[in-house]
Amino acid sequence: MAQISSVEQPNMKQIDLTTLSVPQLTALKQQLDQELNLFQESLTSLKMAQGKFQNSGETLEKINPESEGKEILVPLTGSMYVPGKLMDTQKVIIDIGTRYYAEKDLDTAKDYFQRKTKFVTEQMEKIQILGLEKSRIRDTIVEILELKLKQKQN
Amino acid sequence: MSEDIQRKLQTELDGFKNNQKELQKAIATRQQLDGQLNENEIVKKELDLLPADGKVYKSVGPVLIKTDLVEAKQNVGKRMDFINKEVKRVDEQIISLEKRQDSHRETLQKLQHQFEQAQVKAAIHA
């Protein structure tokens, strides 16, 4: 797929936007709108992932060796619980993706969630920067489009 | 004459649209594979971080089954090899579909040009 960027890059041609025709500009704007939408969607899912990792990390803080033997309610379904007792509070089992689960002690588990939260946050920042750049280009295109349409009317 | 060109134009346009659909499907597959590859890479990194005696489980339906760490690593590696091969295959498919798309576009333009000329001719005769 063709890339749109405001900074010059190898394998990319610089185009003076004012030389483009109205249909060409409209097509460009549509493509940018699509990309911006995709960014927005990605940000929403990343935000959800970030929340989940943070939540899991915080939950770990509440588990300590003194929790051993304490009573908990285990959810069997969304609305049904059975009483249980906490055993072995030194270790937790974590979903690491593609249906694999790894057993980790509390410290490495905390480290895991911190790493994941950091990773997701970094990805979000990257997308935000890219989105900002694209929306700037989009604004310029809209400006030129309006200018051209005005010229046509006169 | 002009009807003949119109028919050809229609067939060419249908071919173009079909090709476009196939291309979009291939691109969607490619993106899905990319996602899978990424996920597997992340899992591999996590497995590599585990100590040699680390316990790993695999979820099969509603239960977790204990798995050998070495075996798990091998499995993920195999899956990545497979996905990489698929990526290569789909990439080739995309390239050939794009080529076909270009040639379709060219023929379409030619036919459209012929069609317009025929119409002009018909207008003069009438």
Side-chain angles (χ1 to χ4, degrees):
Chain A
M1 193 152 99
Q3 293 275 318
I4 305 172
S5 166
S6 63
V7 232
E8 233 181 313
Q9 273 167 39
N11 303 321
M12 269 182 138
K13 230 166 67 181
Q14 207 178 354
I15 292 174
D16 185 359
L17 285 176
T18 51
T19 59
L20 294 180
S21 66
V22 173
Q24 278 173 323
L25 283 168
T26 321
L28 258 181
K29 183 182 164 283
Q30 264 173 3
Q31 197 189 329
L32 280 165
D33 278 339
Q34 266 175 16
E35 281 178 45
L36 281 169
N37 261 333
L38 192 73
F39 283 163
Q40 210 51 52
E41 278 169 31
S42 307
L43 271 180
T44 316
S45 2
L46 280 169
K47 182 104 201 131
M48 263 167 60
Q50 191 191 36
K52 275 185 193 166
F53 285 136
Q54 263 168 353
N55 196 354
S56 298
E58 280 162 22
T59 308
L60 272 180
E61 299 291 339
K62 296 190 184 106
I63 299 178
N64 50 51
E66 285 99 75
S67 322
E68 181 128 17
K70 279 193 182 157
E71 276 205 6
I72 49 160
L73 287 170
V74 185
L76 285 186
T77 67
S79 56
M80 189 165 68
Y81 296 81
V82 288
K85 270 197 176 107
L86 272 177
M87 281 179 63
D88 188 8
T89 49
Q90 311 290 322
K91 285 186 175 108
V92 285
I93 295 171
I94 294 175
D95 182 355
I96 55 169
T98 68
R99 304 192 142 211
Y100 278 110
Y101 289 72
E103 190 178 83
K104 286 176 186 284
D105 59 46
L106 288 183
D107 284 333
T108 45
K110 277 176 201 164
D111 172 64
Y112 172 84
F113 288 119
Q114 264 163 21
R115 253 182 16 239
K116 287 284 155 183
T117 314
K118 192 168 157 255
F119 176 74
V120 174
T121 313
E122 278 168 5
Q123 300 302 312
M124 285 170 77
E125 281 163 4
K126 272 189 210 159
I127 290 179
Q128 265 158 351
I129 291 169
L130 274 174
L132 226 61
E133 195 204 332
K134 299 251 175 186
S135 68
R136 263 209 304 273
I137 303 175
R138 187 190 166 276
D139 289 346
T140 320
I141 288 173
V142 171
E143 242 172 70
I144 296 170
L145 254 177
E146 278 169 4
L147 211 76
K148 293 226 168 188
L149 289 175
K150 225 181 248 171
Q151 276 174 349
K152 262 194 188 163
Q153 273 178 349
N154 289 341
Chain B
M1 174 62 187
S2 123
E3 264 172 38
D4 194 33
I5 296 176
Q6 205 166 10
R7 220 175 10 249
K8 267 192 208 160
L9 203 64
Q10 193 56 49
T11 342
E12 192 62 24
L13 197 66
D14 287 342
F16 178 75
K17 277 185 187 157
N18 277 337
N19 199 64
Q20 202 166 30
K21 258 185 219 153
E22 262 180 73
L23 184 63
Q24 271 162 358
K25 225 164 71 189
I27 289 173
T29 316
R30 171 68 229 253
Q31 278 167 347
Q32 203 190 342
L33 284 171
D34 240 4
Q36 284 174 352
L37 192 64
N38 260 328
E39 196 182 354
N40 277 291
E41 246 162 52
I42 288 169
V43 175
K44 189 168 188 307
K45 260 188 228 153
E46 276 315 315
L47 289 177
D48 285 341
L49 279 171
L50 288 176
D53 61 341
K55 284 180 190 151
V56 185
Y57 301 85
K58 174 129 181 83
S59 116
V60 182
V63 287
L64 292 182
I65 292 170
K66 203 166 164 216
T67 322
D68 188 36
L69 180 58
V70 182
E71 206 182 299
K73 279 184 191 172
Q74 276 172 351
N75 258 328
V76 175
K78 255 188 251 163
R79 203 153 37 184
M80 280 170 70
D81 284 345
F82 174 75
I83 296 170
N84 270 322
K85 261 183 222 149
E86 281 292 295
V87 166
K88 233 184 241 167
R89 193 181 63 81
V90 177
D91 271 348
E92 274 162 23
Q93 199 189 353
I94 288 175
I95 290 171
S96 81
L97 280 171
E98 273 174 343
K99 261 190 206 147
R100 227 193 296 169
Q101 190 88 332
D102 284 342
S103 76
H104 269 306
R105 204 173 282 139
E106 246 172 66
T107 340
L108 266 178
Q109 264 171 1
K110 258 186 224 157
L111 281 171
Q112 208 162 18
H113 191 66
Q114 278 175 15
F115 182 64
E116 274 161 23
Q117 273 185 332
Q119 268 191 329
V120 170
K121 249 185 216 166
I124 292 169
H125 280 294

